[in-house]
Amino acid sequence: MAKIQMDKVTLTVKEASEMIGLSTATIYNMCASGQLPHTRARSRIIFYRPTLEKWLAGELL
């Protein structure tokens, strides 16, 4: 497992799954159902690290 750079602002699905501790399939399903804050850049799903950290802390609904 690769270590995520702490200064990286955006994360890929794989990096987000490693950070959260869920499978990539679960991450894709949560994005599709609107449960996980993300954005799309063409066909890629990306996560803004500060927003994901707030979501994990329960600060976002």
Side-chain angles (χ1 to χ4, degrees):
M1 177 173 11
K3 194 166 193 169
I4 301 170
Q5 295 177 7
M6 294 306 291
D7 60 342
K8 193 169 179 185
V9 177
T10 59
L11 303 173
T12 64
V13 170
K14 183 178 178 189
E15 291 168 335
S17 73
E18 291 171 0
M19 179 179 166
I20 297 172
L22 299 172
S23 71
T24 56
T26 300
I27 297 294
Y28 281 116
N29 288 335
M30 290 179 77
C31 289
S33 65
Q35 296 177 298
L36 196 57
H38 67 283
T39 191
R40 288 191 174 266
R42 296 190 180 218
S43 62
R44 297 186 66 192
I45 295 173
I46 56 174
F47 302 90
Y48 182 58
R49 182 186 203 100
T51 301
L52 197 55
E53 289 170 344
K54 285 181 181 179
W55 179 84
L56 283 169
E59 298 174 15
L60 298 178
L61 298 176

